[in-house]
Amino acid sequence: MQRKIIKISAYVCVGMFLFFVIRADPRELLRIIGRLSPLGILCLLLLRILFWIVRTLSWRIVLRQCSSDRVHFFTLLWAQLAGHAVGHFTPSAKLGGDVMRAMMLSPVPKNQALASVVLDKSIELMATVLMMSLGLFIALVRIRMSSIQRILFLSLTSAAVILIYFFFRRQKKGLFIWILETLKKLRIKSKYLEAKRERLIETDTIIAAFYSRHRRSFLSAFMLYILMILLWAVEMHLTFLFIGMHEITPMKSFLITTLGIVANIVPVIPAGIGIYEMTYMSVFAIVRIPQKSGIAVILVRRLLNLLLAVSGILPLLRMKSRPPAIENEAVDPLSSPSVKIG
């Protein structure tokens, strides 16, 4: 039944994607995209690479407080891109990509790698929701919307804020143990998770210690993710300029980026096909962007995303299994609540 739901969802989303492209006229889209110069394409590609570098820097800050093992920056970058590839090409969406990131930190014990990924993802979501809320506030003040549009955006933002706050609170008390206990109450047995109970307890301890003892690191990672979203807005703005839409202001590009963030938060199907287009087309309509130009911008951004996802396949092909010595490693002192992490 679950597979059928996933398949039906995928067909519907792909259908929406094709609908938007066909409705905008493929020939006209090619003409608009053809305005991009080689220099413009290179500029956008470099911005996208910088985007991933910033994400990796944030993750490294978190990892250094979760583990005494030092991982080379480029190893982390490769892991980020590999996770992006998994999230882009498989039905696991972003969740599978985060698991892959943790798996690729071979020098780091699993509990510490997992803790760093959970923390990094949580901080990213907090920064994302903050910027989304800021964009919504500006939009409500400056742009006329219908009542339905206002309710929709307010509902989505409120739901995201509540969800992030809930997970933040749970992480400080023990997220994984809460999941195990919830499954137990629901009479859902997972032998695999129960076998990993001790390791999950260690992971919870590391996560809780990070929030209580490393607030400067938290703030540094948080600000890097704010910078990442601003880079995203710059990329959006330059894409509009490069296809000839000089009337688009930086503020409009910022609003489009922040209001469209919800398309990247919810993992649905590979690459968010259909959902991404539907979300951004709604935002384009609110800020009065012509449909054809909007679809052209979406296609350019999809191409950039695809190029980075393809590059992430390379580290997956080179991935090696973790040595047995590390798999069976004794509990690291960093896991203990009485020892300062990092």
Side-chain angles (χ1 to χ4, degrees), residues 165-175 178 204:
Y165 177 76
F166 173 78
F167 275 100
F168 174 71
R169 295 286 297 175
R170 280 297 168 188
Q171 284 175 25
K172 295 183 74 174
K173 295 180 179 180
L175 175 64
W178 173 77
D204 277 335

Side-chain angles (χ1 to χ4, degrees), residues 31-54:
R31 186 185 68 79
I32 295 172
I33 295 174
R35 296 172 184 169
L36 277 169
S37 66
L39 182 60
I41 295 172
L42 178 61
C43 180
L44 293 176
L45 183 59
L46 290 175
L47 264 176
R48 185 57 66 100
I49 293 172
L50 180 59
F51 170 90
W52 283 100
I53 289 174
V54 170

